[in-house]
């Protein structure tokens, strides 16, 4: 059996004796953008352009643009390029009375995709700030977003679908990008470039993301024209970082894109072909449940949930819901043994270690997996999301930008910051699969 995936399809069985069907025109897939912190779905549901993931398909007609010409103007808002809603342009304001306008022309060789907080038509993938923890309904809304309305754009090569480049900032409904007087910008010879207010950061993995042997790379910042620079002293500092010539803005399988409020994972079409599917992950859960793990105290059978925790008919915790003791990894059911009043810690009845407990839940978003097994499960601390060993260990080693200049590791399935060292625990079940 060969595992192939777009993040939603079932494994494909190769059958050489199956009848040959007439060829249908297949859509070319560039890749997927997946938001970290969502276990395969948004709480209100994936609707329209606001989803937990976005698939980039080759467009019927190209809509890419490329740099054409540039010139200096005294009143940028009254210039012809800005007023022409059919003309793509970037305005770099140098002073109150001077700006450089860079015009862009249609490029038949590329497809353009735009990401941002705005719900206006030019944005293909609408992204809002990610709130850490389990997502239930609309709770935990961010009062003031730090994600740009037109955050970034990706240009994919139509003739070579494996090449997709990312650039900071996106064109608005008038096909303009404005870098104000206070925005970080610079001139080198006849070229001009700049950075957005909070910046678009990139981290390419070192090694092949899918295979379980890659390591996190170094975070960099991408400019409006696609240049790569070291990070600024703080997220919105005026001084740009140094140019990094050996790194490009071409997305790799497993590249992370931080929008300052949400972090996206890029999965290439080739990488997804080698990744586990949702059905494959659900089968792993089914096999684990088929082993009939039991609670050593209540002696009742436990059932690993695929998404959210079970609740009983009275709304309370279901007796089949498994819990993990985060200091030792022993999996048990809900019971009161070893629980002290007014305390969040419990004593494990199997090894007597004292620590917190957490409900277990399967990480079911396939794009976050760096391997397909073997099914030795680990869980993130403190959220309790389960995944394969290499997947958990990889994400525990990834430091994600947080705030203006901080970094922290978190669970990719719910964005909960990891606690303790190493930030995860191996699960020990009382059954025949341990």
């Amino acid at each position: 059996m060969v595992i192939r995936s777009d993040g939603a399809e079932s494994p494909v069985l190769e059958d050489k004796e199956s009848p040959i069907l007439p060829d249908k025109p297949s859509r070319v897939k560039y890749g997927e953008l997946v938001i970290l912190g969502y276990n395969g779905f948004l709480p209100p549901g994936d609707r329209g352009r606001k989803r937990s993931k976005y698939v980039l398909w080759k467009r019927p007609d190209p809509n890419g643009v490329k740099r054409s010409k540039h010139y200096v103007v005294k009143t940028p808002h009254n210039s012809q390029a800005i007023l022409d809603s059919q003309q793509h342009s970037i305005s770099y304001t140098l002073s109150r009375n001077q700006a450089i306008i860079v015009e862009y022309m249609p490029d038949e060789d590329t497809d353009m995709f735009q990401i941002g907080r705005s719900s206006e038509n030019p944005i293909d993938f609408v992204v809002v700030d990610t709130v850490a923890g389990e997502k239930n309904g609309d709770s935990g809304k961010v009062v003031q977003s730090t994600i740009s309305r037109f955050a970034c754009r990706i240009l994919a090569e139509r003739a070579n679908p494996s090449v997709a480049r990312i650039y900071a900032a996106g064109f608005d409904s008038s096909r303009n990008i404005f870098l104000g007087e206070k925005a970080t910008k610079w001139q080198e010879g006849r070229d001009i470039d700049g950075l957005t207010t909070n910046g678009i950061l990139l981290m390419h993995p070192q090694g092949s993301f899918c295979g379980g042997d890659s390591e996190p790379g170094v975070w960099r910042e991408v400019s409006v024209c696609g240049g790569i620079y070291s990070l600024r002293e703080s997220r919105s500092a005026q001084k740009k970082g140094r140019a990094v010539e050996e790194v490009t803005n071409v997305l790799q399988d497993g590249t992370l894109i931080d929008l300052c409020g949400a972090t996206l994972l890029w999965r290439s079409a080739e990488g997804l072909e080698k990744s586990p599917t949702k059905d494959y992950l659900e089968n792993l859960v089914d096999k684990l449940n088929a082993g009939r793990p039991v609670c050593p105290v209540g002696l009742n059978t436990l059932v690993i949930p695929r998404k959210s925790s079970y609740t009983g008919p009275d709304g309370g915790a279901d007796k089949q819901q498994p819990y993990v003791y985060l200091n030792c990894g022993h999996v048990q059911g809900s019971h009161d043994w070893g629980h002290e009043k007014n305390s969040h810690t419990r004593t494990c009845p199997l090894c007597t270690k004292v620590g917190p407990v957490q409900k277990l839940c399967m990480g079911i978003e396939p794009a976050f997996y760096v391997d397909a097994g073997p099914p030795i499960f680990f869980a993130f601390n403190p959220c309790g999301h389960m995944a394969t060993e290499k997947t958990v260990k990889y994400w525990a080693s990834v430091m994600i930008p947080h705030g203006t200049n901080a970094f922290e590791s978190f669970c990719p399935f719910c964005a909960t910051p990891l606690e303790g060292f190493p930030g995860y625990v191996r699960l020990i079940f009382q059954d025949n699969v341990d």
Side-chain angles (χ1 to χ4, degrees):
M1 184 173 73
V2 176
I3 298 174
R4 299 180 180 176
S5 169
D6 66 356
E9 296 172 352
S10 304
V12 177
L13 291 173
E14 287 190 343
D15 185 359
K16 296 181 179 179
E17 297 180 0
S18 60
I20 299 177
L21 300 175
D23 289 337
K24 293 182 179 180
S26 58
R27 301 175 69 185
V28 175
K29 181 178 180 178
Y30 296 121
E32 292 181 3
L33 289 169
V34 190
I35 311 176
L36 266 60
Y38 299 92
N39 195 9
F41 64 98
L42 295 181
D46 289 329
R47 300 169 183 167
R49 293 172 293 154
K50 197 172 181 180
R51 323 177 64 83
S52 64
K53 70 170 69 175
Y54 177 74
V55 182
L56 282 69
W57 298 102
K58 184 175 182 179
R59 299 186 185 276
D61 300 302
N63 71 330
V65 293
K66 57 185 177 182
R67 189 167 175 153
S68 174
K69 59 182 179 180
H70 71 278
Y71 44 86
V72 179
V73 296
K74 293 184 178 180
T75 55
H77 288 278
N78 295 327
S79 66
Q80 183 60 37
I82 302 300
L83 296 175
D84 185 356
S85 61
Q86 300 303 310
Q87 172 69 58
H88 286 87
S89 66
I90 302 179
S91 173
Y92 299 86
T93 303
L94 304 179
S95 67
R96 186 172 298 179
N97 300 317
Q98 188 180 41
I100 294 179
I101 304 293
V102 180
E103 292 187 5
Y104 283 71
M105 60 185 291
D107 182 8
E108 295 185 354
D109 297 327
T110 60
D111 286 336
M112 182 168 65
F113 305 88
Q114 300 206 140
I115 302 100
R117 178 171 48 87
S118 174
S119 58
E120 294 183 24
N121 288 334
I123 296 298
D124 298 285
F125 189 23
V126 179
V127 178
V128 297
D129 296 68
T130 301
V131 178
E134 285 294 334
K135 316 298 189 296
N136 297 313
D138 294 325
S139 61
K141 279 189 174 181
V142 176
V143 177
Q144 187 172 0
S145 177
T146 49
I147 299 175
S148 172
R149 295 175 65 242
F150 301 91
C152 62
R153 62 197 190 279
I154 293 174
L155 269 73
E157 293 187 6
R158 293 173 64 86
N160 188 1
S162 63
V163 178
R165 295 181 172 85
I166 186 169
Y167 304 81
F171 294 99
D172 61 20
S173 296
S174 299
R175 301 191 178 186
N176 299 317
I177 293 175
F178 290 101
L179 267 71
E181 192 173 344
K182 294 182 179 180
T184 303
K185 64 186 82 66
W186 60 92
Q187 283 183 278
E188 294 179 355
R190 299 184 61 188
D191 295 328
I192 187 167
D193 200 351
L195 305 173
T196 54
T197 302
N198 289 328
I200 301 299
L201 308 187
L202 291 185
M203 192 273 280
H204 298 310
Q206 296 179 329
S208 176
F209 177 80
C210 189
D213 299 318
S214 68
E215 296 181 356
V218 179
W219 282 98
R220 316 285 191 188
E221 182 167 7
V222 62
S223 71
V224 174
C225 293
I228 302 296
Y229 297 84
S230 61
L231 301 186
R232 291 178 264 181
E233 289 188 2
S234 64
R235 195 72 190 234
S236 57
Q238 291 292 307
K239 185 180 179 181
K240 70 178 178 69
R242 64 173 180 83
V244 182
E245 302 293 342
E246 65 272 18
V247 180
T248 73
N249 66 331
V250 177
L251 298 175
Q252 303 173 18
D253 186 42
T255 293
L256 289 176
I257 305 165
D258 189 78
L259 308 180
C260 193
T263 306
L264 309 180
L265 170 68
W266 169 260
R267 294 302 315 273
S268 67
E270 294 89 345
L272 287 169
E273 288 277 342
K274 305 171 186 176
S275 296
T277 65
K278 187 175 181 181
D279 278 359
Y280 178 84
L281 297 177
E282 290 179 344
N283 286 334
L284 289 184
V285 178
D286 292 341
K287 288 180 181 178
L288 186 58
N289 287 331
R292 299 180 66 81
V294 298
C295 172
V297 176
L299 300 180
N300 54 298
T301 302
L302 304 176
V303 179
I304 307 295
R306 292 176 177 177
K307 286 187 178 179
S308 57
S309 303
Y310 287 109
T311 55
D314 58 352
D318 191 288
K319 291 296 183 181
Q320 291 186 310
Q321 168 66 52
Y323 289 75
V324 57
Y325 283 70
L326 292 170
N327 280 355
C328 60
H330 285 112
V331 179
Q332 303 174 33
S334 177
H335 58 75
D336 295 327
W337 194 96
H339 183 213
E340 298 181 7
K341 289 184 178 180
N342 303 320
S343 173
H344 295 293
T345 61
R346 293 173 183 252
T347 300
C348 176
L350 295 178
C351 66
T352 68
K353 283 189 177 180
V354 179
V357 297
Q358 180 59 267
K359 293 179 181 179
L360 278 180
C361 178
M362 185 67 180
I364 210 70
E365 170 52 63
F368 299 147
Y369 279 74
V370 302
D371 69 326
I376 301 173
F377 288 107
F378 282 62
F380 289 102
N381 180 359
C383 63
H385 275 107
M386 297 168 46
T388 57
E389 178 179 3
K390 288 186 176 181
T391 296
V392 170
K393 289 183 175 180
Y394 175 79
W395 286 106
S397 68
V398 176
M399 303 298 288
I400 307 292
H402 176 71
T404 57
N405 55 4
F407 292 81
E408 63 183 7
S409 296
F410 60 65
C411 169
F413 302 104
C414 66
T416 298
L418 302 186
E419 294 181 0
F421 179 81
Y424 56 83
V425 63
R426 178 177 176 173
L427 300 178
I428 305 173
F429 293 92
Q430 305 304 305
D431 66 345
N432 60 14
V433 300
D434 180 33

